[in-house]
Amino acid sequence: MDSPAFDLAFEPAYGQAVPVVSGVERVTVNNPGPFTFFGTNSYIVGSSSVAVIDPGPEDEAHFQALMTALAGRAVTHIFVSHTHRDHSPLARRLQAATGAVTVGQGSHRPARPLRDGEINPFAESSDISFVPDITLSDGETLSGDGWALSAVLTPGHTANHTAFALAGRDILFSGDHVMAWSTSIVAPPDGSMADYMESLDRLIARDDRLLLPGHGGPVMEPAGFLRALKAHRLKREQAVLARVRAGDTQIAEMVKVIYRDTDPKLHGAAALSVLAHIENLMERGDIAADGPPSLAATYRLL
């Protein structure tokens, strides 16, 4: 298998708490889009005393749905996988309503500093005001009534992206790092393809039995899916190298060929993905540019 078998079947059940597995419920935000699929998934973990993972964007209907689902239960922790605006902003309001502590890998930051004249294309998508009460290191575990969640640092999609492993269950809340419906966006300077691939290898080595992502339905057979996802990324990398060998010097030229079957409305995001691959290839010494890597730079083989 050289590409993942993506699963587009999903019922969001907006406004409802949907049981996923024993002790885990999902509430999906009604914020569908090309990067969010049917919407962002918030997860409730536990029974009488619970944790919430990824409370979502500042959305009144979703806040009310969460409060209804949480009624009669203490909320002790609010975990945030990463600081994009579809995942973390509602943490502040949920904390004010419940008194829970917020948990994450840290505040928002790019994977690398911006270069002179560079603009972060996803700056408006970043929740730069979120600062967790508890900053988790890799492998650190927090527990509550009948649950324990361990941090699995997975930078790549963002520098502070973290997955959360449910202790004793072989279940991983994978955020936007791995999703059943699509590949994750890796867009410099927020994202790093080298980091993403290393994080993907971390999950392959874990051998979880179920992944619960930030958008869409679960990944039911993670081992094969993760290997196929890695193969897909490596195939994209080879496609970028092939276009440079064929004489393409600009990212826009490469995107037209590599993503010819993709909706042109998504070519902007595709260009950022190509840039992420190029940064990785340049770090490894496979290609060179007429300056720092950028969407407008000119590329050549070394």
Side-chain angles (χ1 to χ4, degrees), residues 56-57 80-89 108 122 125-127 157-158 160-161 176 185 190:
V80 170
S81 67
H82 65 293
T83 44
H84 278 157
R85 288 187 179 274
D86 57 325
H87 287 262
S88 58
H108 193 83
F122 280 92
S125 301
S126 304
D127 180 9
H157 176 65
T158 60
N160 66 352
H161 194 286
D176 282 8
I185 294 173
D190 268 16

Side-chain angles (χ1 to χ4, degrees), residues 57-270:
E58 182 55 63
D59 181 279
E60 177 64 26
H62 186 61
F63 175 73
Q64 294 300 332
L66 281 176
M67 293 306 295
T68 297
L70 295 166
R73 297 188 282 183
V75 182
T76 59
H77 298 75
I78 301 168
F79 289 78
V80 170
S81 67
H82 65 293
T83 44
H84 278 157
R85 288 187 179 274
D86 57 325
H87 287 262
S88 58
L90 199 62
R92 290 178 281 277
R93 192 172 175 193
L94 188 61
Q95 181 180 45
T98 64
V101 295
T102 57
V103 182
Q105 197 279 321
S107 56
H108 193 83
R109 64 185 186 276
R112 58 160 176 77
L114 268 69
R115 302 186 176 99
D116 289 343
E118 185 179 20
I119 297 173
N120 183 348
F122 280 92
E124 294 184 0
S125 301
S126 304
D127 180 9
I128 60 174
S129 62
F130 176 80
V131 179
D133 297 321
I134 299 174
T135 300
L136 291 176
S137 57
D138 191 48
E140 188 172 353
T141 301
L142 296 177
S143 59
D145 181 19
W147 59 265
L149 290 166
S150 300
V152 181
L153 302 192
T154 48
H157 176 65
T158 60
N160 66 352
H161 194 286
T162 306
F164 301 107
L166 186 57
R169 302 283 298 275
D170 294 329
I171 293 173
L172 186 77
F173 297 91
S174 57
D176 282 8
H177 182 60
V178 177
M179 301 175 289
W181 73 282
S182 176
T183 56
S184 178
I185 294 173
V186 181
D190 268 16
S192 161
M193 189 61 71
D195 289 347
Y196 181 87
M197 296 300 286
E198 288 180 8
S199 296
L200 203 55
D201 283 337
R202 290 202 68 196
L203 296 200
I204 290 171
R206 284 183 53 82
D207 197 27
D208 291 297
R209 69 176 179 85
L210 185 70
L211 305 185
L212 299 178
H215 305 277
V219 178
M220 304 298 292
E221 298 181 0
F225 187 86
L226 288 166
R227 287 193 295 269
L229 190 58
K230 180 179 179 179
H232 175 77
R233 292 288 188 177
L234 292 174
K235 187 176 179 180
R236 280 280 191 257
E237 178 183 283
Q238 289 303 309
V240 172
L241 275 173
R243 292 318 308 163
V244 177
R245 290 192 191 99
D248 289 352
T249 60
Q250 300 281 322
I251 286 179
E253 297 174 312
M254 302 177 203
V255 168
K256 287 179 182 178
V257 177
I258 298 171
Y259 292 90
R260 56 183 172 271
D261 297 325
T262 300
D263 185 341
K265 294 178 182 178
L266 299 177
H267 278 192

